Amino acid sequence: MTAPDAGRGIWDGEETRTFTGLPHDSFRILHVSTGNVCRSPITERLTRHALADRLGDPLWGGVVVESAGTWGHEGAPMEANAETVLAEFGADASGFTGRELLDEHVIMADLVLTATRDHRQQVISMGHSAGLRTFTLKEFTRLVKAIDTATLPPLEEGLVIRARALVRAAAALRGWLLAPTAEADEVFDPYGAPLPFFRSIGDEIHEALDPVVTALTGVPARA
């Protein structure tokens, strides 16, 4: 079994994996912010950490977790405060380098989760039929909480199949389940802010990811 690329969260060789003997391909989650040095790296690495916490093996199930920035600082390291926040959650920040959002990233993504509504609009404006699979992180969390996960395919059918059904169910609810305020779907930019503000953003992201990963895997976070 090959190890994950620590820099991007893409598994070496993009090998096809199986679950209970059923072949399946990958499900790609793309996190998007502005510079790809603060919010989206935190979200990328917390997602990977949460999946490993629930499933044991970060390669399990065929989920690929990536990030990029609409004005991405190509090749730049993650902000030091972002690394600190990840370390406090027990997540791995090593090997990360920023990148600019490209068409190919959107084309390959099965689910795009953005920090803000502006980011979401920028992704959708790139085309590639991205509208039904692009949400802000908090928007997606709000929609996922309204889904009866018993209606999703069981995990025995494969994590990829379950994940794609979750995205379809969330897209079907959009327009029916509105945010209480416009700001409710936003994760604000901590770039240049002191560590306490980074921690508050990290807490927001962690809280938003928890129900998403639980619905995706069918496994709650460890107590």
Side-chain angles (χ1 to χ4, degrees), residues 2 12 26 30-31 38 43-44 48 54 68 91 95 109 112 116-117 132 135 162 172 182 195 199-200 205 209 214:
T2 54
D12 293 340
S26 64
L30 175 66
H31 294 295
C38 299
T43 316
E44 173 192 317
R48 291 174 59 184
R54 286 160 171 78
V112 183
T116 70
R117 291 168 297 151
L132 291 178
F135 310 78
R162 182 180 175 93
L195 182 57
R199 286 186 173 127
S200 70
I205 292 171
L209 282 173
T214 298

Side-chain angles (χ1 to χ4, degrees), residues 47-64:
T47 303
R48 291 174 59 184
H49 181 67
L51 287 168
D53 178 67
R54 286 160 171 78
L55 303 175
D57 179 1
L59 293 177
W60 192 99
V63 176
V64 177

